[in-house]
Amino acid sequence: MKRLLPTLLLSLSATLAFAADSGNYTRTIFSDDFSGTGFGPRWGHYKSGSVIKDGVLVGITPEGSDHPAVDSIKFDPERDLEVSVKFRFVSDKAKSFNLWFDDKDYKESHAGHICNVSVSPTNVAVGDAKTGNFRNDIYEKKKAVPPTITDEDKKMLATKNKSFPVKLSLQDWHTLVAQTKGDEVTVSIDGKVVGSFKSEGVAHDHKTLVSLTTNQVDVNYDDFSLKGAAK
């Protein structure tokens, strides 16, 4: 118990600090409770079969697709953002989903990827895509046949990603909140901070798109909210 107490106190402190920071994200850029009969006009899609059904976004990657389903929102350039979304893994066919922060004007990383949060039933991973896995030269090395990624590259990439174990029940709704603040991403699920990660690429001050990427099927989403920090 003595060993556990400092960990619990640290977790509580992080959660309280996260809640306090949430008060800084006062500008609603976009929100959707999916109560309509279909996607609104601001939603964009890439290789997506996702639909709105019974008041939720049903994430669907079409069978045989070479890319996970992407459902996205564009906005004017921002640096610090908060995204909140309810989600549930409907079955064990649901592998994971990604929350992406991108800059479609940025050409030095694949698809303008800046940073992301990946959520599975057992793991949350945070990555600096801008200076890590999706930096153009690294991306090309990884896609080469055979891959030309070096040991030095692998050591560098190990510093650009961080994972946190979780245990999320299937079929139940959970709430993900991800904040970018300067060079840091902090993630909470169901009101408790899962972890945070600092990396230089996160501080990119020209984020223009946020997307949900469904890896395969059976991921549902609801009450999506995108907010900007107070100016």
Side-chain angles (χ1 to χ4, degrees), residues 133-163:
N133 283 314
F134 288 87
R135 198 178 77 190
N136 283 340
D137 61 325
I138 295 294
Y139 181 78
E140 292 302 322
K141 288 181 180 181
K142 293 180 71 174
K143 288 295 184 180
V145 181
T148 58
I149 203 87
T150 66
D151 288 342
E152 185 177 353
D153 293 330
K154 292 177 182 178
K155 289 180 181 179
M156 180 276 291
L157 289 173
T159 70
K160 300 298 181 179
N161 302 273
K162 189 171 184 178
S163 295

mmCIF file of all heavy atoms in Angstrom, residues 133-163:
data_model
loop_
_atom_site.group_PDB
_atom_site.id
_atom_site.type_symbol
_atom_site.label_atom_id
_atom_site.label_comp_id
_atom_site.label_asym_id
_atom_site.label_seq_id
_atom_site.Cartn_x
_atom_site.Cartn_y
_atom_site.Cartn_z
ATOM 1 N N ASN A 133 7.517 8.820 -37.319
ATOM 2 C CA ASN A 133 7.167 7.802 -38.319
ATOM 3 C C ASN A 133 6.713 8.345 -39.657
ATOM 4 O O ASN A 133 6.868 7.667 -40.683
ATOM 5 C CB ASN A 133 6.066 6.893 -37.755
ATOM 6 C CG ASN A 133 6.598 5.888 -36.763
ATOM 7 O OD1 ASN A 133 7.614 5.249 -36.996
ATOM 8 N ND2 ASN A 133 5.909 5.738 -35.639
ATOM 9 N N PHE A 134 6.142 9.547 -39.684
ATOM 10 C CA PHE A 134 5.607 10.055 -40.937
ATOM 11 C C PHE A 134 6.429 11.178 -41.550
ATOM 12 O O PHE A 134 6.013 11.781 -42.543
ATOM 13 C CB PHE A 134 4.135 10.462 -40.750
ATOM 14 C CG PHE A 134 3.230 9.265 -40.606
ATOM 15 C CD1 PHE A 134 3.008 8.683 -39.371
ATOM 16 C CD2 PHE A 134 2.628 8.693 -41.722
ATOM 17 C CE1 PHE A 134 2.199 7.564 -39.239
ATOM 18 C CE2 PHE A 134 1.810 7.585 -41.608
ATOM 19 C CZ PHE A 134 1.590 7.014 -40.365
ATOM 20 N N ARG A 135 7.583 11.487 -40.960
ATOM 21 C CA ARG A 135 8.521 12.386 -41.629
ATOM 22 C C ARG A 135 8.835 11.778 -42.996
ATOM 23 O O ARG A 135 9.056 10.572 -43.110
ATOM 24 C CB ARG A 135 9.792 12.528 -40.784
ATOM 25 C CG ARG A 135 10.636 13.732 -41.141
ATOM 26 C CD ARG A 135 11.839 13.788 -40.218
ATOM 27 N NE ARG A 135 12.863 12.813 -40.606
ATOM 28 C CZ ARG A 135 13.933 12.512 -39.872
ATOM 29 N NH1 ARG A 135 14.087 13.075 -38.672
ATOM 30 N NH2 ARG A 135 14.832 11.661 -40.302
ATOM 31 N N ASN A 136 8.853 12.573 -44.034
ATOM 32 C CA ASN A 136 8.893 12.024 -45.390
ATOM 33 C C ASN A 136 9.987 10.995 -45.608
ATOM 34 O O ASN A 136 9.739 9.916 -46.166
ATOM 35 C CB ASN A 136 9.037 13.155 -46.412
ATOM 36 C CG ASN A 136 7.748 13.906 -46.643
ATOM 37 O OD1 ASN A 136 6.661 13.389 -46.348
ATOM 38 N ND2 ASN A 136 7.846 15.115 -47.172
ATOM 39 N N ASP A 137 11.217 11.292 -45.190
ATOM 40 C CA ASP A 137 12.304 10.357 -45.462
ATOM 41 C C ASP A 137 12.139 9.056 -44.684
ATOM 42 O O ASP A 137 12.400 7.965 -45.210
ATOM 43 C CB ASP A 137 13.661 10.995 -45.162
ATOM 44 C CG ASP A 137 13.810 11.419 -43.715
ATOM 45 O OD1 ASP A 137 12.810 11.855 -43.107
ATOM 46 O OD2 ASP A 137 14.926 11.306 -43.171
ATOM 47 N N ILE A 138 11.654 9.153 -43.434
ATOM 48 C CA ILE A 138 11.424 7.957 -42.633
ATOM 49 C C ILE A 138 10.287 7.136 -43.221
ATOM 50 O O ILE A 138 10.371 5.896 -43.324
ATOM 51 C CB ILE A 138 11.108 8.337 -41.170
ATOM 52 C CG1 ILE A 138 12.321 9.013 -40.507
ATOM 53 C CG2 ILE A 138 10.658 7.112 -40.377
ATOM 54 C CD1 ILE A 138 13.525 8.102 -40.346
ATOM 55 N N TYR A 139 9.227 7.810 -43.635
ATOM 56 C CA TYR A 139 8.083 7.113 -44.224
ATOM 57 C C TYR A 139 8.497 6.342 -45.475
ATOM 58 O O TYR A 139 8.089 5.185 -45.665
ATOM 59 C CB TYR A 139 6.983 8.122 -44.554
ATOM 60 C CG TYR A 139 5.733 7.513 -45.142
ATOM 61 C CD1 TYR A 139 4.801 6.878 -44.332
ATOM 62 C CD2 TYR A 139 5.491 7.568 -46.515
ATOM 63 C CE1 TYR A 139 3.650 6.316 -44.876
ATOM 64 C CE2 TYR A 139 4.349 7.004 -47.061
ATOM 65 C CZ TYR A 139 3.435 6.380 -46.236
ATOM 66 O OH TYR A 139 2.304 5.814 -46.781
ATOM 67 N N GLU A 140 9.313 6.966 -46.313
ATOM 68 C CA GLU A 140 9.759 6.296 -47.541
ATOM 69 C C GLU A 140 10.649 5.097 -47.229
ATOM 70 O O GLU A 140 10.557 4.059 -47.895
ATOM 71 C CB GLU A 140 10.491 7.293 -48.443
ATOM 72 C CG GLU A 140 9.600 8.385 -49.025
ATOM 73 C CD GLU A 140 8.441 7.826 -49.838
ATOM 74 O OE1 GLU A 140 8.655 6.820 -50.548
ATOM 75 O OE2 GLU A 140 7.331 8.390 -49.760
ATOM 76 N N LYS A 141 11.494 5.226 -46.225
ATOM 77 C CA LYS A 141 12.342 4.097 -45.829
ATOM 78 C C LYS A 141 11.508 2.918 -45.334
ATOM 79 O O LYS A 141 11.811 1.761 -45.626
ATOM 80 C CB LYS A 141 13.318 4.534 -44.732
ATOM 81 C CG LYS A 141 14.449 5.440 -45.193
ATOM 82 C CD LYS A 141 15.358 5.776 -44.015
ATOM 83 C CE LYS A 141 16.501 6.669 -44.431
ATOM 84 N NZ LYS A 141 17.419 6.976 -43.287
ATOM 85 N N LYS A 142 10.458 3.208 -44.594
ATOM 86 C CA LYS A 142 9.628 2.142 -44.046
ATOM 87 C C LYS A 142 8.793 1.469 -45.132
ATOM 88 O O LYS A 142 8.477 0.277 -45.052
ATOM 89 C CB LYS A 142 8.712 2.696 -42.945
ATOM 90 C CG LYS A 142 9.469 3.167 -41.703
ATOM 91 C CD LYS A 142 8.540 3.698 -40.642
ATOM 92 C CE LYS A 142 7.745 2.599 -39.990
ATOM 93 N NZ LYS A 142 6.935 3.090 -38.847
ATOM 94 N N LYS A 143 8.436 2.231 -46.164
ATOM 95 C CA LYS A 143 7.610 1.688 -47.238
ATOM 96 C C LYS A 143 8.427 0.986 -48.319
ATOM 97 O O LYS A 143 7.868 0.273 -49.159
ATOM 98 C CB LYS A 143 6.783 2.812 -47.872
ATOM 99 C CG LYS A 143 5.651 3.329 -46.978
ATOM 100 C CD LYS A 143 4.599 2.262 -46.742
ATOM 101 C CE LYS A 143 3.429 2.782 -45.940
ATOM 102 N NZ LYS A 143 2.391 1.743 -45.702
ATOM 103 N N ALA A 144 9.733 1.191 -48.315
ATOM 104 C CA ALA A 144 10.589 0.576 -49.335
ATOM 105 C C ALA A 144 10.523 -0.954 -49.238
ATOM 106 O O ALA A 144 10.250 -1.513 -48.181
ATOM 107 C CB ALA A 144 12.025 1.053 -49.165
ATOM 108 N N VAL A 145 10.754 -1.603 -50.353
ATOM 109 C CA VAL A 145 10.760 -3.075 -50.397
ATOM 110 C C VAL A 145 12.135 -3.548 -50.862
ATOM 111 O O VAL A 145 12.496 -3.373 -52.025
ATOM 112 C CB VAL A 145 9.671 -3.608 -51.339
ATOM 113 C CG1 VAL A 145 9.685 -5.139 -51.355
ATOM 114 C CG2 VAL A 145 8.297 -3.087 -50.939
ATOM 115 N N PRO A 146 12.946 -4.133 -49.948
ATOM 116 C CA PRO A 146 12.663 -4.263 -48.504
ATOM 117 C C PRO A 146 12.857 -2.928 -47.788
ATOM 118 O O PRO A 146 13.493 -2.014 -48.338
ATOM 119 C CB PRO A 146 13.708 -5.288 -48.064
ATOM 120 C CG PRO A 146 14.864 -5.047 -48.972
ATOM 121 C CD PRO A 146 14.254 -4.710 -50.310
ATOM 122 N N PRO A 147 12.343 -2.777 -46.561
ATOM 123 C CA PRO A 147 12.519 -1.525 -45.818
ATOM 124 C C PRO A 147 13.991 -1.167 -45.653
ATOM 125 O O PRO A 147 14.833 -2.046 -45.484
ATOM 126 C CB PRO A 147 11.873 -1.837 -44.461
ATOM 127 C CG PRO A 147 10.907 -2.926 -44.752
ATOM 128 C CD PRO A 147 11.547 -3.762 -45.809
ATOM 129 N N THR A 148 14.291 0.122 -45.742
ATOM 130 C CA THR A 148 15.674 0.584 -45.625
ATOM 131 C C THR A 148 15.922 1.333 -44.309
ATOM 132 O O THR A 148 16.921 2.031 -44.175
ATOM 133 C CB THR A 148 16.038 1.490 -46.811
ATOM 134 O OG1 THR A 148 15.123 2.599 -46.857
ATOM 135 C CG2 THR A 148 15.970 0.720 -48.124
ATOM 136 N N ILE A 149 14.991 1.176 -43.371
ATOM 137 C CA ILE A 149 15.133 1.839 -42.081
ATOM 138 C C ILE A 149 16.369 1.301 -41.359
ATOM 139 O O ILE A 149 16.641 0.105 -41.380
ATOM 140 C CB ILE A 149 13.855 1.618 -41.230
ATOM 141 C CG1 ILE A 149 13.719 2.700 -40.169
ATOM 142 C CG2 ILE A 149 13.759 0.244 -40.665
ATOM 143 C CD1 ILE A 149 13.022 3.914 -40.645
ATOM 144 N N THR A 150 17.151 2.186 -40.755
ATOM 145 C CA THR A 150 18.403 1.795 -40.112
ATOM 146 C C THR A 150 18.221 1.648 -38.603
ATOM 147 O O THR A 150 17.215 2.080 -38.032
ATOM 148 C CB THR A 150 19.487 2.842 -40.369
ATOM 149 O OG1 THR A 150 19.120 4.067 -39.708
ATOM 150 C CG2 THR A 150 19.665 3.095 -41.868
ATOM 151 N N ASP A 151 19.219 1.061 -37.950
ATOM 152 C CA ASP A 151 19.181 0.947 -36.492
ATOM 153 C C ASP A 151 19.157 2.330 -35.847
ATOM 154 O O ASP A 151 18.497 2.539 -34.820
ATOM 155 C CB ASP A 151 20.384 0.149 -35.983
ATOM 156 C CG ASP A 151 20.278 -1.335 -36.314
ATOM 157 O OD1 ASP A 151 19.161 -1.803 -36.614
ATOM 158 O OD2 ASP A 151 21.318 -2.025 -36.295
ATOM 159 N N GLU A 152 19.880 3.256 -36.444
ATOM 160 C CA GLU A 152 19.883 4.632 -35.923
ATOM 161 C C GLU A 152 18.490 5.246 -36.037
ATOM 162 O O GLU A 152 18.026 5.943 -35.120
ATOM 163 C CB GLU A 152 20.898 5.479 -36.688
ATOM 164 C CG GLU A 152 21.052 6.889 -36.144
ATOM 165 C CD GLU A 152 22.115 7.694 -36.873
ATOM 166 O OE1 GLU A 152 22.833 7.108 -37.711
ATOM 167 O OE2 GLU A 152 22.230 8.898 -36.596
ATOM 168 N N ASP A 153 17.825 4.990 -37.177
ATOM 169 C CA ASP A 153 16.453 5.471 -37.343
ATOM 170 C C ASP A 153 15.540 4.883 -36.271
ATOM 171 O O ASP A 153 14.707 5.586 -35.697
ATOM 172 C CB ASP A 153 15.908 5.086 -38.724
ATOM 173 C CG ASP A 153 16.614 5.788 -39.862
ATOM 174 O OD1 ASP A 153 17.082 6.924 -39.670
ATOM 175 O OD2 ASP A 153 16.687 5.188 -40.959
ATOM 176 N N LYS A 154 15.694 3.605 -36.012
ATOM 177 C CA LYS A 154 14.845 2.933 -35.026
ATOM 178 C C LYS A 154 15.041 3.517 -33.631
ATOM 179 O O LYS A 154 14.082 3.681 -32.871
ATOM 180 C CB LYS A 154 15.127 1.436 -35.019
ATOM 181 C CG LYS A 154 14.684 0.717 -36.293
ATOM 182 C CD LYS A 154 15.056 -0.754 -36.253
ATOM 183 C CE LYS A 154 14.654 -1.464 -37.537
ATOM 184 N NZ LYS A 154 15.047 -2.900 -37.532
ATOM 185 N N LYS A 155 16.280 3.844 -33.291
ATOM 186 C CA LYS A 155 16.548 4.461 -31.993
ATOM 187 C C LYS A 155 15.878 5.829 -31.899
ATOM 188 O O LYS A 155 15.314 6.201 -30.863
ATOM 189 C CB LYS A 155 18.054 4.590 -31.776
ATOM 190 C CG LYS A 155 18.767 3.266 -31.533
ATOM 191 C CD LYS A 155 20.257 3.479 -31.334
ATOM 192 C CE LYS A 155 20.987 2.162 -31.120
ATOM 193 N NZ LYS A 155 22.445 2.354 -30.952
ATOM 194 N N MET A 156 15.958 6.585 -32.980
ATOM 195 C CA MET A 156 15.303 7.892 -33.005
ATOM 196 C C MET A 156 13.793 7.744 -32.866
ATOM 197 O O MET A 156 13.147 8.452 -32.072
ATOM 198 C CB MET A 156 15.645 8.617 -34.305
ATOM 199 C CG MET A 156 15.023 10.001 -34.459
ATOM 200 S SD MET A 156 13.316 10.002 -35.108
ATOM 201 C CE MET A 156 13.608 9.457 -36.806
ATOM 202 N N LEU A 157 13.210 6.796 -33.597
ATOM 203 C CA LEU A 157 11.759 6.616 -33.575
ATOM 204 C C LEU A 157 11.262 6.181 -32.205
ATOM 205 O O LEU A 157 10.124 6.486 -31.825
ATOM 206 C CB LEU A 157 11.342 5.608 -34.639
ATOM 207 C CG LEU A 157 11.468 6.092 -36.083
ATOM 208 C CD1 LEU A 157 11.196 4.953 -37.054
ATOM 209 C CD2 LEU A 157 10.515 7.257 -36.339
ATOM 210 N N ALA A 158 12.097 5.479 -31.458
ATOM 211 C CA ALA A 158 11.709 5.049 -30.111
ATOM 212 C C ALA A 158 11.456 6.241 -29.192
ATOM 213 O O ALA A 158 10.727 6.124 -28.202
ATOM 214 C CB ALA A 158 12.778 4.146 -29.520
ATOM 215 N N THR A 159 12.034 7.396 -29.522
ATOM 216 C CA THR A 159 11.837 8.601 -28.716
ATOM 217 C C THR A 159 10.633 9.408 -29.171
ATOM 218 O O THR A 159 10.276 10.398 -28.530
ATOM 219 C CB THR A 159 13.080 9.503 -28.774
ATOM 220 O OG1 THR A 159 13.203 10.091 -30.083
ATOM 221 C CG2 THR A 159 14.346 8.724 -28.461
ATOM 222 N N LYS A 160 10.011 9.002 -30.270
ATOM 223 C CA LYS A 160 8.916 9.770 -30.859
ATOM 224 C C LYS A 160 7.538 9.184 -30.560
ATOM 225 O O LYS A 160 6.526 9.691 -31.049
ATOM 226 C CB LYS A 160 9.109 9.853 -32.380
ATOM 227 C CG LYS A 160 10.400 10.515 -32.812
ATOM 228 C CD LYS A 160 10.489 11.969 -32.358
ATOM 229 C CE LYS A 160 11.774 12.632 -32.808
ATOM 230 N NZ LYS A 160 11.848 14.044 -32.375
ATOM 231 N N ASN A 161 7.520 8.110 -29.787
ATOM 232 C CA ASN A 161 6.259 7.443 -29.476
ATOM 233 C C ASN A 161 6.273 6.967 -28.028
ATOM 234 O O ASN A 161 7.318 6.604 -27.497
ATOM 235 C CB ASN A 161 6.044 6.235 -30.396
ATOM 236 C CG ASN A 161 6.045 6.598 -31.862
ATOM 237 O OD1 ASN A 161 5.011 6.964 -32.418
ATOM 238 N ND2 ASN A 161 7.207 6.505 -32.503
ATOM 239 N N LYS A 162 5.089 6.955 -27.413
ATOM 240 C CA LYS A 162 4.985 6.462 -26.041
ATOM 241 C C LYS A 162 3.653 5.740 -25.884
ATOM 242 O O LYS A 162 2.622 6.203 -26.386
ATOM 243 C CB LYS A 162 5.086 7.607 -25.040
ATOM 244 C CG LYS A 162 5.212 7.160 -23.589
ATOM 245 C CD LYS A 162 5.528 8.336 -22.672
ATOM 246 C CE LYS A 162 5.740 7.875 -21.232
ATOM 247 N NZ LYS A 162 6.085 9.013 -20.338
ATOM 248 N N SER A 163 3.679 4.596 -25.177
ATOM 249 C CA SER A 163 2.479 3.787 -24.990
ATOM 250 C C SER A 163 2.107 3.677 -23.520
ATOM 251 O O SER A 163 2.976 3.705 -22.640
ATOM 252 C CB SER A 163 2.686 2.385 -25.568
ATOM 253 O OG SER A 163 2.862 2.434 -26.971
#
